[in-house]
Amino acid sequence: MKSKFPYLAFAMTLMTQASMSEAQAAGEPMQVIVATPQELSVTQSASKTVGVSQVSGQSASMLYGDPTKPGLYTVILRLDPHKRIMPLSHPDSRFVTVLSGSFYIGWGDTYDETKLKALPAGGIYTEPANANHFGETRDEPALVAITGYGPSGTTYADPADAPSAVKK
């Protein structure tokens, strides 16, 4: 089986180059952020962050951009241990990297533990636009970086699963 990593790395390079060109064209200063997962400050409640599941036990920090507007964005999301994200989708395609801990991800309209795939730190996956997916943490917290091209949002497969912050 051929590795998809070179294609993903190429896609991220293109997204980064497009973002840099966009910022330069707008006259914005370029930021270069160099940090280990332990150095990232992820302490804000995720309840007001667009494009994340917003379950309790999450915190988020915007690393780049604004997911409510057209353009590239990156959100750093911290999930406490033993958190379950019920099936949901987003209107934008996204690229997710597990920075620390382990995150378990699966795809489908209903939560199915047998479909979960464990991704340790360094693991990557994509979330195609409007594709329902679900996930969980187990005995340790997980820190993930979510990069997409907004505007973003969150739609639960079953509206009853949506935390009150994202219910319509």
Side-chain angles (χ1 to χ4, degrees):
M1 182 170 153
K2 274 180 120 175
S3 170
K4 294 181 183 178
F5 182 74
Y7 300 110
L8 294 173
F10 179 69
M12 289 304 294
T13 299
L14 289 177
M15 289 173 66
T16 301
Q17 288 173 343
S19 173
M20 291 169 65
S21 296
E22 188 178 290
Q24 287 172 338
E28 297 174 9
M30 294 302 302
Q31 286 185 352
V32 177
I33 300 170
V34 179
T36 66
Q38 296 78 15
E39 295 170 324
L40 293 170
S41 175
V42 186
T43 58
Q44 299 172 348
S45 168
S47 66
K48 295 181 181 169
T49 304
V50 170
V52 299
S53 61
Q54 300 175 343
V55 297
S56 66
Q58 284 188 152
S59 52
S61 181
M62 290 305 307
L63 190 59
Y64 181 84
D66 181 346
T68 67
K69 298 178 181 171
L72 191 68
Y73 68 88
T74 298
V75 175
I76 304 296
L77 182 66
R78 182 186 188 281
L79 290 142
D80 287 344
H82 304 285
K83 291 300 167 185
R84 181 174 285 180
I85 299 170
M86 297 306 287
L88 51 76
S89 66
H90 311 283
D92 56 318
S93 295
R94 296 134 60 99
F95 183 90
V96 182
T97 304
V98 180
L99 300 175
S100 67
S102 292
F103 186 64
Y104 299 78
I105 183 75
W107 285 265
D109 297 338
T110 57
Y111 185 90
D112 181 348
E113 191 170 334
T114 66
K115 292 182 179 179
L116 290 172
K117 178 174 175 63
L119 291 174
I124 55 175
Y125 70 95
T126 59
E127 295 175 359
N130 303 309
N132 283 329
H133 55 283
F134 49 90
E136 72 179 32
T137 56
R138 295 195 177 155
D139 292 335
E140 61 185 342
L143 189 66
V144 299
I146 303 167
T147 298
Y149 196 89
S152 191
T154 301
T155 302
Y156 278 82
D158 180 350
D161 289 334
S164 59
V166 294
K167 285 187 180 175
K168 302 202 186 243

